[in-house]
Amino acid sequence: MCIQTVNVMETELLQNAPKLNKAMSSFLKDIYLNYLLLNSKDSRVIIVESLISPMTLRNSIAFALFQHLNVSHVVFMPSHLLCTFAIGKLSALVVDIGYKETEVLPIYEGIPIVNAWQAVPFAAEELQRTVRNLILEKCEVTGDPDDVKPASMLRDEVISVEIEDIIVRTCFVRSQDNDATPLDVQYPLYSANSSLLLNGYIRSHSADVMFDPEDASIQSAILEAVLKCPRDCRKKICENLLVVGGGAMLPGFNYRLKQELCSLLEDKDQKYHSKLNISSFKFHTPPGQINCTQWLGGSIFGMLETAVLERAVTREKFAECGRLPDWLSPDPALREELHVVKRGASTPVMTRSSSASKSKPST
Protein backbone atom coordinates (compact mmCIF):
# COMPACT_ATOMS: atom_id res chain seq x y z
CA MET A 1 0.00 0.00 0.00
CA CYS A 2 1.31 3.44 -0.95
CA ILE A 3 1.36 5.71 2.11
CA GLN A 4 1.82 8.95 0.20
CA THR A 5 2.21 10.23 -3.32
CA VAL A 6 5.77 11.11 -4.33
CA ASN A 7 7.36 12.52 -7.46
CA VAL A 8 8.78 9.51 -9.27
CA MET A 9 10.18 11.30 -12.30
CA GLU A 10 10.41 14.81 -13.69
CA THR A 11 8.21 15.88 -16.59
CA GLU A 12 11.31 16.92 -18.56
CA LEU A 13 12.27 13.24 -18.83
CA LEU A 14 9.62 12.84 -21.53
CA GLN A 15 11.94 14.81 -23.82
CA ASN A 16 14.93 12.59 -23.05
CA ALA A 17 14.30 8.97 -24.10
CA PRO A 18 17.47 7.37 -22.62
CA LYS A 19 16.96 8.96 -19.18
CA LEU A 20 13.25 8.16 -19.29
CA ASN A 21 13.96 4.50 -20.11
CA LYS A 22 16.43 4.28 -17.22
CA ALA A 23 14.03 5.88 -14.75
CA MET A 24 11.11 3.74 -15.92
CA SER A 25 13.14 0.54 -15.66
CA SER A 26 14.16 1.38 -12.10
CA PHE A 27 10.59 2.27 -11.19
CA LEU A 28 9.03 -0.94 -12.59
CA LYS A 29 11.75 -3.13 -11.06
CA ASP A 30 10.99 -1.57 -7.69
CA ILE A 31 7.29 -2.39 -8.11
CA TYR A 32 7.94 -6.01 -9.06
CA LEU A 33 10.68 -6.76 -6.51
CA ASN A 34 9.58 -4.73 -3.47
CA TYR A 35 5.79 -4.57 -3.73
CA LEU A 36 4.40 -7.32 -5.97
CA LEU A 37 7.14 -9.82 -5.03
CA LEU A 38 6.69 -11.55 -8.39
CA ASN A 39 8.97 -12.99 -11.03
CA SER A 40 8.30 -10.92 -14.15
CA LYS A 41 9.94 -13.29 -16.64
CA ASP A 42 7.56 -14.53 -19.39
CA SER A 43 4.54 -12.94 -17.70
CA ARG A 44 1.75 -11.03 -19.45
CA VAL A 45 1.16 -7.41 -18.46
CA ILE A 46 -1.87 -5.20 -19.02
CA ILE A 47 -1.23 -1.45 -18.82
CA VAL A 48 -4.28 0.64 -17.93
CA GLU A 49 -3.50 3.92 -19.67
CA SER A 50 -5.01 7.29 -20.35
CA LEU A 51 -6.48 7.88 -23.77
CA ILE A 52 -4.01 10.71 -24.33
CA SER A 53 -0.82 9.12 -22.94
CA PRO A 54 2.29 10.42 -24.75
CA MET A 55 3.84 7.92 -27.15
CA THR A 56 7.25 8.46 -25.55
CA LEU A 57 5.88 7.29 -22.20
CA ARG A 58 4.20 4.23 -23.74
CA ASN A 59 7.37 3.24 -25.59
CA SER A 60 9.42 3.70 -22.43
CA ILE A 61 7.10 1.42 -20.44
CA ALA A 62 7.26 -1.23 -23.17
CA PHE A 63 11.07 -0.93 -23.36
CA ALA A 64 11.43 -1.42 -19.59
CA LEU A 65 9.04 -4.37 -19.47
CA PHE A 66 10.52 -6.19 -22.48
CA GLN A 67 14.23 -5.41 -22.15
CA HIS A 68 14.73 -5.30 -18.38
CA LEU A 69 11.92 -7.41 -16.92
CA ASN A 70 11.64 -9.95 -19.76
CA VAL A 71 7.85 -10.09 -19.88
CA SER A 72 6.42 -11.99 -22.84
CA HIS A 73 3.34 -9.92 -23.74
CA VAL A 74 2.21 -6.35 -23.07
CA VAL A 75 -1.25 -4.95 -23.73
CA PHE A 76 -2.03 -1.21 -23.55
CA MET A 77 -5.73 -0.59 -22.90
CA PRO A 78 -7.58 2.74 -22.49
CA SER A 79 -8.95 3.06 -18.97
CA HIS A 80 -12.43 4.10 -20.14
CA LEU A 81 -12.77 0.96 -22.25
CA LEU A 82 -11.75 -1.30 -19.37
CA CYS A 83 -14.44 0.25 -17.17
CA THR A 84 -17.09 -1.35 -19.38
CA PHE A 85 -15.67 -4.80 -18.62
CA ALA A 86 -16.44 -4.25 -14.94
CA ILE A 87 -20.18 -3.90 -15.64
CA GLY A 88 -20.31 -6.40 -18.52
CA LYS A 89 -21.60 -3.89 -21.09
CA LEU A 90 -20.60 -3.32 -24.69
CA SER A 91 -21.80 0.28 -24.75
CA ALA A 92 -21.56 2.95 -22.07
CA LEU A 93 -20.86 6.62 -21.52
CA VAL A 94 -17.89 6.60 -19.15
CA VAL A 95 -17.33 9.70 -16.99
CA ASP A 96 -13.99 9.58 -15.17
CA ILE A 97 -13.74 12.23 -12.44
CA GLY A 98 -10.11 12.26 -11.43
CA TYR A 99 -7.95 14.71 -9.51
CA LYS A 100 -7.03 17.34 -12.11
CA GLU A 101 -9.82 16.94 -14.67
CA THR A 102 -12.94 15.08 -15.69
CA GLU A 103 -12.82 13.03 -18.89
CA VAL A 104 -15.88 11.82 -20.79
CA LEU A 105 -15.67 9.11 -23.45
CA PRO A 106 -18.54 7.18 -25.10
CA ILE A 107 -17.94 3.48 -25.79
CA TYR A 108 -20.19 1.84 -28.40
CA GLU A 109 -20.09 -1.92 -29.03
CA GLY A 110 -16.63 -2.09 -27.49
CA ILE A 111 -15.21 0.74 -29.63
CA PRO A 112 -14.26 4.15 -28.12
CA ILE A 113 -15.82 7.06 -30.04
CA VAL A 114 -12.67 9.13 -29.90
CA ASN A 115 -13.96 12.24 -31.67
CA ALA A 116 -16.56 12.61 -28.89
CA TRP A 117 -13.93 12.69 -26.10
CA GLN A 118 -14.40 15.64 -23.73
CA ALA A 119 -12.43 17.00 -20.78
CA VAL A 120 -13.14 19.79 -18.28
CA PRO A 121 -10.85 21.13 -15.51
CA PHE A 122 -13.36 20.52 -12.71
CA ALA A 123 -12.56 17.52 -10.54
CA ALA A 124 -11.30 16.61 -7.06
CA GLU A 125 -8.55 19.25 -7.02
CA GLU A 126 -11.05 22.07 -7.58
CA LEU A 127 -13.30 20.66 -4.85
CA GLN A 128 -10.39 20.47 -2.41
CA ARG A 129 -9.35 24.04 -3.21
CA THR A 130 -12.91 25.28 -2.63
CA VAL A 131 -13.31 23.46 0.69
CA ARG A 132 -9.91 24.65 1.90
CA ASN A 133 -10.68 28.30 1.09
CA LEU A 134 -14.12 28.11 2.76
CA ILE A 135 -12.61 26.52 5.90
CA LEU A 136 -10.02 29.27 6.22
CA GLU A 137 -12.72 31.89 5.66
CA LYS A 138 -15.68 30.62 7.71
CA CYS A 139 -14.55 28.00 10.26
CA GLU A 140 -13.13 28.07 13.75
CA VAL A 141 -10.69 25.84 15.62
CA THR A 142 -10.93 24.93 19.29
CA GLY A 143 -8.37 23.34 21.58
CA ASP A 144 -10.04 23.92 24.95
CA PRO A 145 -13.67 24.96 25.54
CA ASP A 146 -12.53 28.53 26.16
CA ASP A 147 -9.91 28.61 23.41
CA VAL A 148 -11.63 29.33 20.07
CA LYS A 149 -9.75 30.93 17.20
CA PRO A 150 -10.28 31.42 13.44
CA ALA A 151 -9.15 28.55 11.20
CA SER A 152 -7.06 31.07 9.25
CA MET A 153 -4.61 31.09 12.18
CA LEU A 154 -3.72 27.43 11.53
CA ARG A 155 -0.60 26.56 9.65
CA ASP A 156 -1.53 26.09 5.99
CA GLU A 157 -0.03 22.60 5.81
CA VAL A 158 -2.37 21.36 8.57
CA ILE A 159 -5.47 21.93 6.43
CA SER A 160 -3.70 20.80 3.26
CA VAL A 161 -2.80 17.42 4.81
CA GLU A 162 -6.27 16.79 6.23
CA ILE A 163 -8.40 18.25 3.42
CA GLU A 164 -9.10 15.01 1.54
CA ASP A 165 -10.13 13.20 4.72
CA ILE A 166 -12.32 16.15 5.76
CA ILE A 167 -14.21 15.94 2.44
CA VAL A 168 -14.63 12.16 2.55
CA ARG A 169 -15.87 12.10 6.16
CA THR A 170 -18.09 15.18 6.31
CA CYS A 171 -19.15 16.47 2.87
CA PHE A 172 -21.91 15.39 0.49
CA VAL A 173 -23.61 16.60 -2.69
CA ARG A 174 -26.95 18.28 -2.14
CA SER A 175 -29.83 18.07 -4.61
CA GLN A 176 -30.75 21.08 -6.74
CA ASP A 177 -33.85 22.00 -4.75
CA ASN A 178 -32.36 21.45 -1.28
CA ASP A 179 -31.06 24.67 0.29
CA ALA A 180 -31.23 23.43 3.88
CA THR A 181 -28.05 23.75 5.90
CA PRO A 182 -27.00 20.60 7.79
CA LEU A 183 -25.57 20.59 11.31
CA ASP A 184 -22.05 21.77 12.01
CA VAL A 185 -19.63 19.00 12.95
CA GLN A 186 -16.32 18.76 14.79
CA TYR A 187 -13.39 17.26 12.92
CA PRO A 188 -10.33 16.33 15.02
CA LEU A 189 -7.02 17.81 13.84
CA TYR A 190 -4.57 15.48 15.56
CA SER A 191 -1.53 17.19 14.04
CA ALA A 192 -2.56 20.46 15.69
CA ASN A 193 -4.03 18.99 18.93
CA SER A 194 -7.34 20.72 18.26
CA SER A 195 -10.75 20.31 16.61
CA LEU A 196 -12.12 22.00 13.52
CA LEU A 197 -15.69 23.32 13.83
CA LEU A 198 -16.86 22.59 10.29
CA ASN A 199 -19.65 24.82 9.02
CA GLY A 200 -22.76 22.98 7.75
CA TYR A 201 -22.88 25.18 4.65
CA ILE A 202 -19.43 23.94 3.61
CA ARG A 203 -20.50 20.33 4.03
CA SER A 204 -23.46 20.61 1.66
CA HIS A 205 -22.59 23.41 -0.79
CA SER A 206 -18.89 22.86 -1.57
CA ALA A 207 -19.57 20.35 -4.35
CA ASP A 208 -21.65 22.93 -6.25
CA VAL A 209 -18.40 24.15 -7.81
CA MET A 210 -18.30 21.00 -9.97
CA PHE A 211 -21.70 21.79 -11.52
CA ASP A 212 -21.95 25.60 -11.56
CA PRO A 213 -19.91 26.72 -14.62
CA GLU A 214 -22.41 26.67 -17.49
CA ASP A 215 -19.93 26.64 -20.37
CA ALA A 216 -17.42 24.08 -19.01
CA SER A 217 -19.25 21.98 -16.43
CA ILE A 218 -19.35 18.22 -16.09
CA GLN A 219 -22.94 18.03 -17.29
CA SER A 220 -22.22 20.14 -20.38
CA ALA A 221 -19.21 17.94 -21.22
CA ILE A 222 -21.43 14.85 -21.04
CA LEU A 223 -24.08 16.32 -23.33
CA GLU A 224 -21.41 17.59 -25.71
CA ALA A 225 -19.98 14.07 -25.93
CA VAL A 226 -23.45 12.66 -26.64
CA LEU A 227 -24.04 15.32 -29.29
CA LYS A 228 -20.86 14.27 -31.14
CA CYS A 229 -21.92 10.63 -31.24
CA PRO A 230 -23.84 9.16 -34.21
CA ARG A 231 -27.60 9.51 -33.74
CA ASP A 232 -28.24 5.78 -33.48
CA CYS A 233 -25.76 5.48 -30.57
CA ARG A 234 -27.09 8.24 -28.34
CA LYS A 235 -30.05 6.56 -26.67
CA LYS A 236 -28.08 3.43 -25.79
CA ILE A 237 -25.11 5.19 -24.21
CA CYS A 238 -27.36 7.58 -22.24
CA GLU A 239 -29.08 4.55 -20.72
CA ASN A 240 -25.68 3.18 -19.65
CA LEU A 241 -23.97 6.04 -17.83
CA LEU A 242 -20.96 4.95 -15.77
CA VAL A 243 -19.39 7.48 -13.39
CA VAL A 244 -16.01 6.44 -11.97
CA GLY A 245 -13.04 8.04 -10.21
CA GLY A 246 -12.33 9.27 -6.71
CA GLY A 247 -13.91 12.66 -7.38
CA ALA A 248 -17.36 11.06 -7.69
CA MET A 249 -17.34 9.18 -4.37
CA LEU A 250 -19.30 11.82 -2.44
CA PRO A 251 -22.81 10.69 -1.43
CA GLY A 252 -25.50 12.09 -3.73
CA PHE A 253 -23.19 12.79 -6.68
CA ASN A 254 -25.01 10.71 -9.30
CA TYR A 255 -28.43 12.00 -8.26
CA ARG A 256 -27.28 15.63 -8.55
CA LEU A 257 -25.59 14.91 -11.89
CA LYS A 258 -28.81 13.45 -13.27
CA GLN A 259 -30.72 16.55 -12.12
CA GLU A 260 -28.20 18.84 -13.80
CA LEU A 261 -28.34 16.86 -17.06
CA CYS A 262 -32.13 16.99 -17.18
CA SER A 263 -32.17 20.72 -16.36
CA LEU A 264 -29.69 21.45 -19.13
CA LEU A 265 -31.74 19.46 -21.63
CA GLU A 266 -34.95 21.25 -20.63
CA ASP A 267 -33.39 24.71 -20.89
CA LYS A 268 -34.68 26.14 -24.17
CA ASP A 269 -31.82 28.62 -24.30
CA GLN A 270 -29.29 25.79 -24.57
CA LYS A 271 -28.48 24.08 -27.88
CA TYR A 272 -28.98 20.63 -26.37
CA HIS A 273 -32.74 21.23 -26.00
CA SER A 274 -33.31 21.22 -29.76
CA LYS A 275 -30.50 18.93 -30.88
CA LEU A 276 -30.79 16.03 -28.44
CA ASN A 277 -33.94 13.95 -28.19
CA ILE A 278 -33.00 12.22 -24.94
CA SER A 279 -35.74 11.37 -22.46
CA SER A 280 -33.81 9.75 -19.61
CA PHE A 281 -30.41 8.93 -18.16
CA LYS A 282 -29.65 5.68 -16.33
CA PHE A 283 -26.62 5.13 -14.13
CA HIS A 284 -24.69 1.94 -13.43
CA THR A 285 -23.33 1.11 -10.00
CA PRO A 286 -20.13 -0.87 -10.61
CA PRO A 287 -19.08 -3.66 -8.25
CA GLY A 288 -16.48 -2.51 -5.77
CA GLN A 289 -15.22 1.02 -5.21
CA ILE A 290 -15.77 3.37 -8.15
CA ASN A 291 -12.20 4.67 -7.95
CA CYS A 292 -10.95 1.13 -8.76
CA THR A 293 -13.32 0.33 -11.64
CA GLN A 294 -10.58 0.55 -14.29
CA TRP A 295 -8.41 -1.99 -12.51
CA LEU A 296 -11.37 -4.29 -11.86
CA GLY A 297 -12.14 -4.18 -15.59
CA GLY A 298 -8.48 -4.84 -16.35
CA SER A 299 -8.56 -7.95 -14.13
CA ILE A 300 -11.62 -9.27 -15.95
CA PHE A 301 -10.04 -8.52 -19.33
CA GLY A 302 -6.87 -10.33 -18.24
CA MET A 303 -8.84 -13.54 -17.79
CA LEU A 304 -9.88 -13.52 -21.47
CA GLU A 305 -6.82 -15.21 -22.94
CA THR A 306 -7.86 -14.92 -26.59
CA ALA A 307 -8.69 -11.24 -26.21
CA VAL A 308 -5.36 -10.55 -24.50
CA LEU A 309 -3.33 -12.32 -27.19
CA GLU A 310 -5.31 -10.55 -29.89
CA ARG A 311 -4.25 -7.12 -28.63
CA ALA A 312 -0.85 -7.98 -27.19
CA VAL A 313 2.59 -7.00 -28.44
CA THR A 314 5.26 -9.66 -27.94
CA ARG A 315 8.87 -9.19 -26.84
CA GLU A 316 10.16 -10.44 -30.19
CA LYS A 317 8.01 -8.11 -32.29
CA PHE A 318 8.91 -5.09 -30.17
CA ALA A 319 12.61 -5.93 -30.56
CA GLU A 320 12.17 -5.99 -34.35
CA CYS A 321 10.24 -2.71 -34.66
CA GLY A 322 11.65 -0.80 -31.69
CA ARG A 323 8.42 1.05 -30.98
CA LEU A 324 4.72 0.63 -30.32
CA PRO A 325 1.95 1.65 -32.67
CA ASP A 326 -0.50 4.26 -31.49
CA TRP A 327 -3.70 2.32 -30.81
CA LEU A 328 -5.42 4.97 -32.95
CA SER A 329 -2.81 4.64 -35.70
CA PRO A 330 -4.30 4.67 -39.22
CA ASP A 331 -1.35 2.58 -40.44
CA PRO A 332 -2.71 -1.00 -40.52
CA ALA A 333 0.60 -2.41 -41.77
CA LEU A 334 2.40 -1.37 -38.60
CA ARG A 335 -0.36 -2.75 -36.40
CA GLU A 336 -0.40 -6.11 -38.20
CA GLU A 337 3.39 -6.28 -38.02
CA LEU A 338 3.43 -5.74 -34.27
CA HIS A 339 0.41 -7.64 -33.03
CA VAL A 340 0.28 -11.36 -32.51
CA VAL A 341 -3.11 -12.12 -34.02
CA LYS A 342 -4.84 -10.23 -36.82
CA ARG A 343 -8.28 -9.14 -35.79
CA GLY A 344 -9.81 -9.71 -39.23
CA ALA A 345 -13.46 -10.68 -38.94
CA SER A 346 -13.13 -12.13 -35.47
CA THR A 347 -15.71 -11.50 -32.78
CA PRO A 348 -15.24 -8.08 -31.12
CA VAL A 349 -13.13 -8.35 -28.02
CA MET A 350 -15.87 -7.01 -25.77
CA THR A 351 -18.30 -9.82 -26.61
CA ARG A 352 -16.01 -12.25 -24.86
CA SER A 353 -16.82 -10.58 -21.55
CA SER A 354 -20.40 -11.81 -21.64
CA SER A 355 -19.64 -14.29 -18.89
CA ALA A 356 -18.91 -11.41 -16.51
CA SER A 357 -21.69 -10.36 -14.18
CA LYS A 358 -23.79 -7.58 -15.68
CA SER A 359 -25.10 -4.72 -13.59
CA LYS A 360 -28.49 -3.21 -14.23
CA PRO A 361 -28.60 0.57 -14.61
CA SER A 362 -30.59 2.45 -12.03
CA THR A 363 -32.98 5.19 -12.89
Side-chain angles (χ1 to χ4, degrees), residues 54-274:
M55 283 300 300
T56 52
L57 182 61
R58 299 173 78 242
N59 283 319
S60 178
I61 293 173
F63 177 85
L65 290 172
F66 285 132
Q67 300 299 325
H68 293 274
L69 294 171
N70 293 319
V71 304
S72 60
H73 298 74
V74 176
V75 185
F76 288 84
M77 291 288 288
S79 60
H80 293 77
L81 178 58
L82 287 177
C83 289
T84 61
F85 281 80
I87 60 173
K89 288 292 183 179
L90 288 167
S91 303
L93 182 59
V94 182
V95 183
D96 186 0
I97 303 177
Y99 180 70
K100 290 270 185 191
E101 62 183 5
T102 296
E103 296 182 359
V104 182
L105 181 67
I107 309 291
Y108 189 74
E109 295 299 323
I111 304 298
I113 306 178
V114 182
N115 66 307
W117 176 85
Q118 300 290 316
V120 291
F122 294 99
E125 183 182 36
E126 185 66 25
L127 176 61
Q128 290 183 12
R129 184 184 299 112
T130 300
V131 172
R132 176 184 169 279
N133 291 339
L134 287 173
I135 287 176
L136 295 177
E137 178 184 345
K138 297 178 178 292
C139 292
E140 295 178 333
V141 175
T142 176
D144 298 319
D146 298 329
D147 181 20
V148 179
K149 58 184 178 182
S152 57
M153 296 183 64
L154 282 173
R155 290 180 293 110
D156 184 58
E157 56 267 23
V158 173
I159 299 297
S160 299
V161 168
E162 302 282 355
I163 189 65
E164 185 174 351
D165 194 59
I166 291 173
I167 293 173
V168 170
R169 292 179 181 272
T170 65
C171 296
F172 61 92
V173 183
R174 67 183 183 94
S175 60
Q176 275 184 327
D177 52 353
N178 183 9
D179 288 327
T181 302
L183 295 175
D184 298 350
V185 297
Q186 282 195 346
Y187 177 88
L189 296 172
Y190 296 110
S191 58
N193 295 321
S194 57
S195 295
L196 175 68
L197 302 176
L198 193 64
N199 189 300
Y201 176 87
I202 298 175
R203 296 179 59 207
S204 61
H205 286 68
S206 298
D208 290 353
V209 70
M210 302 178 75
F211 303 101
D212 281 346
E214 296 182 359
D215 55 341
S217 61
I218 295 176
Q219 62 268 24
S220 63
I222 292 174
L223 293 183
E224 193 67 33
V226 174
L227 189 60
K228 292 186 176 182
C229 290
R231 291 179 182 273
D232 55 343
C233 302
R234 295 174 183 174
K235 183 176 184 295
K236 191 170 185 178
I237 63 173
C238 287
E239 291 180 348
N240 292 280
L241 217 66
L242 178 60
V243 182
V244 299
M249 296 185 73
L250 289 180
F253 187 91
N254 282 359
Y255 182 73
R256 174 65 180 274
L257 180 58
K258 183 178 180 180
Q259 286 184 318
E260 295 288 347
L261 288 169
C262 293
S263 297
L264 201 55
L265 276 177
E266 294 168 1
D267 188 350
K268 295 182 179 180
D269 295 331
Q270 297 289 335
K271 62 179 179 180
Y272 309 111
H273 177 76
S274 58

